[in-house]
Amino acid sequence: MARKDDPAASETDLLRMLDLAKATARHLGTPRQSPFCADVIHSTTGKRLVRRLNAVAQEHDPSSHAEVRAIRAATKKLKTTSLKGYTLYTTCEPCPMCMAASLWAGVDRVIFGATIDDAARHCSQIYTYAKQLVKRSDLKCEVVGPVARSSCVALFEDPRMLAAMRLWKQSAKNPK
């Protein structure tokens, strides 16, 4: 049974995270597979504005994290640099780059599934946690997580994802 884990999470947060994890799982075993996926959701209406997967390998761009791609797509769609009034849901706790982008965009809340520590068991991470980054900033954003952690961790532990991550590590060690 899925859990909210973080008491600050609502039942709606849990349902949205479970939906995001399920959608992410549908991409496992495809050329676009990634355990990292993000939604930008209107904080009041609950309407999804955009959903994006991590595309670092496909775009040959180390900044193409799901959260950054979702923020870029959302601000472009809205024709503004502000995402005030929006919440970012992400299958994994945002790295410092992604959390900084969330702060600069002014999202109301960031809701995450797996933790940085969960992700680090499978891929490289920078150990600056999202809540720490907010505390060190004069920008405001509520960070809630983990939410549906086990469902999001399962994305990393899927055998197809484990095989892909082994290949990613090899290619990082042996670039062309």
Side-chain angles (χ1 to χ4, degrees):
M1 181 168 164
R3 296 182 0 193
K4 292 189 293 181
D5 304 298
D6 186 327
S10 69
E11 287 300 318
T12 300
D13 292 332
L14 176 62
L15 293 174
R16 287 189 181 135
M17 188 60 68
L18 290 170
D19 176 65
L20 183 60
K22 185 176 178 181
T24 306
R26 285 194 293 270
H27 290 281
L28 297 178
T30 73
R32 295 180 52 213
Q33 73 181 348
S34 172
F36 304 102
C37 192
D39 278 345
V40 175
I41 305 280
H42 193 276
S43 296
T44 305
T45 67
K47 183 179 178 193
R48 181 185 330 121
L49 183 63
V50 297
R51 173 175 283 164
R52 292 295 185 270
L53 284 165
N54 176 301
V56 169
Q58 295 89 337
E59 295 179 1
H60 309 289
D61 180 353
S63 70
S64 288
H65 290 200
E67 300 92 336
V68 170
R69 293 184 75 236
I71 290 167
R72 287 175 181 160
T75 55
K76 187 173 185 175
K77 190 171 187 174
L78 295 170
K79 296 180 178 12
T80 181
T81 57
S82 175
L83 290 178
K84 185 169 178 47
Y86 288 86
T87 297
L88 179 74
Y89 286 83
T90 178
T91 56
C92 188
E93 182 174 3
C95 73
M97 174 182 69
C98 295
M99 191 61 223
S102 300
L103 288 167
W104 289 120
V107 298
D108 299 338
R109 302 168 72 221
V110 170
I111 314 297
F112 67 86
T115 67
I116 285 178
D117 294 324
D118 296 327
R121 287 194 287 279
H122 304 284
C123 54
S124 298
Q125 293 295 315
I126 298 171
Y127 291 93
T128 300
Y129 303 97
K131 290 176 184 176
Q132 288 176 328
L133 200 66
V134 171
K135 284 180 186 175
R136 298 184 60 116
S137 169
D138 61 356
L139 302 167
K140 301 297 177 219
C141 178
E142 180 184 9
V143 178
V144 178
V147 176
R149 182 179 183 184
S150 60
S151 297
C152 293
V153 168
L155 298 167
F156 288 92
E157 295 175 348
D158 183 282
R160 298 166 293 182
M161 198 68 250
L162 291 171
M165 286 188 280
R166 280 192 297 275
L167 291 175
W168 294 349
K169 285 180 184 179
Q170 285 177 339
S171 67
K173 289 180 186 177
N174 303 312
K176 293 179 182 179

